[in-house]
Amino acid sequence: MHIPPVESPPRPPADLRTVGRAFVVLALCSLLLLVLVAAEWPPLIDLDGDVSRATHRWAVEESGVTHAFRILTDWVWDPQTMRILCAVVVVWLVWRQSAWWTAAWLVVTVALSTAVQQSLKAAVDRARPVWPDPIDSAHYAAFPSGHAMSATVVLGLLLWLLHGYGPGRTLWRTAVTVVVVSVAGVGLTRVWLGVHWPTDVIGGWLLGATVVALAVLAHRRWAPGPPPGAGSGGVERVP
């Protein structure tokens, strides 16, 4: 007589497992960098100093590039600009899509990422670079870079939401290009302007990507309606 096998617990979808693995890797890398920075590991500190001195020298010599970078970092890729962009998308989600859960998820994620960023700055309390001929200034502690982390979180989440709506090839490629250039560019400007060490920026990128991966996991597990990309447009069912 054939005895039916005992059913095993359902496995999560492959894409969910992939995001979960990415979250673990990103979290471990973020933790490792955090420990090395907090411990002031000499090879890392030396590398930060070498790169920062070179970029500061170039920034002083290339005043035109420096001026353009200051505009980009203060107005285009500034954390406040990222929050305004996020607010616009939240209004659109609620007004045009009735996607209240996703709108709340986006607000909470961005707010929590800011809280994590500020808490780590206070805990690590890393001093910013100091130059005899500074070309820009910034407040609060250095690690992690708030500009880099904010851009990674906001633009990463918005790109994931856009993907759920099944954009055309041209729109998707344009969006990916804008996000990659913006996230990489904001990190470059912070080091170029002499207000962050390179590892501050890398830490911001890693922590921001970790937040995005965790937020995607939360959305896929608990959002009402089908998952992004499953026919409804990627968020809650809409009329």
Side-chain angles (χ1 to χ4, degrees):
M1 182 178 67
H2 175 69
I3 300 177
V6 178
E7 292 186 1
S8 59
R11 300 182 65 190
D15 59 339
L16 200 60
R17 294 197 300 273
T18 300
V19 175
R21 294 190 189 102
F23 166 72
V24 172
V25 172
L26 289 166
L28 290 175
C29 291
S30 298
L31 179 60
L32 175 60
L33 182 59
L34 173 63
V35 170
L36 293 177
V37 168
E40 299 183 350
W41 189 50
L44 192 68
I45 301 303
D46 291 343
L47 180 61
D48 266 342
D50 292 341
V51 174
S52 294
R53 282 188 291 272
T55 53
H56 180 68
R57 184 174 64 253
W58 299 335
V60 171
E61 295 171 352
E62 301 293 337
S63 58
V65 175
T66 298
H67 180 67
F69 279 5
R70 187 178 288 115
I71 293 174
L72 288 171
T73 198
D74 289 344
W75 296 98
V76 180
W77 297 324
D78 180 70
Q80 189 63 27
T81 304
M82 293 295 111
R83 296 185 190 107
I84 293 172
L85 175 61
C86 179
V88 171
V89 174
V90 166
V91 171
W92 179 82
L93 285 169
V94 171
W95 182 38
R96 298 300 299 271
Q97 302 294 314
S98 298
W100 291 90
W101 196 96
T102 296
W105 162 86
L106 186 57
V107 170
V108 170
T109 301
V110 173
L112 287 177
S113 71
T114 301
V116 169
Q117 171 207 128
Q118 294 299 325
S119 298
L120 286 175
K121 281 181 177 289
V124 178
D125 196 25
R126 189 185 199 187
R128 292 180 184 268
V130 177
W131 308 106
D133 51 348
I135 57 176
D136 205 347
S137 61
H139 304 290
Y140 309 113
F143 185 92
S145 166
H147 281 68
M149 187 171 176
S150 296
T152 303
V153 171
V154 172
L155 297 179
L157 293 175
L158 297 187
L159 187 66
W160 181 73
L161 287 175
L162 176 64
H163 182 266
Y165 281 88
R169 180 177 298 179
T170 301
L171 175 59
W172 177 247
R173 289 180 176 176
T174 301
V176 170
T177 301
V178 169
V179 168
V180 170
V181 169
S182 297
V183 171
V186 71
L188 173 61
T189 62
R190 302 311 284 167
V191 177
W192 181 276
L193 294 173
V195 294
H196 273 296
W197 306 105
T199 47
D200 298 337
V201 169
I202 296 173
W205 286 336
L206 286 174
L207 287 164
T210 302
V211 170
V212 171
L214 182 59
V216 168
L217 285 173
H219 195 287
R220 294 300 303 269
R221 285 183 179 277
W222 296 311
S232 71
V235 291
E236 295 99 309
R237 296 181 184 276
V238 294

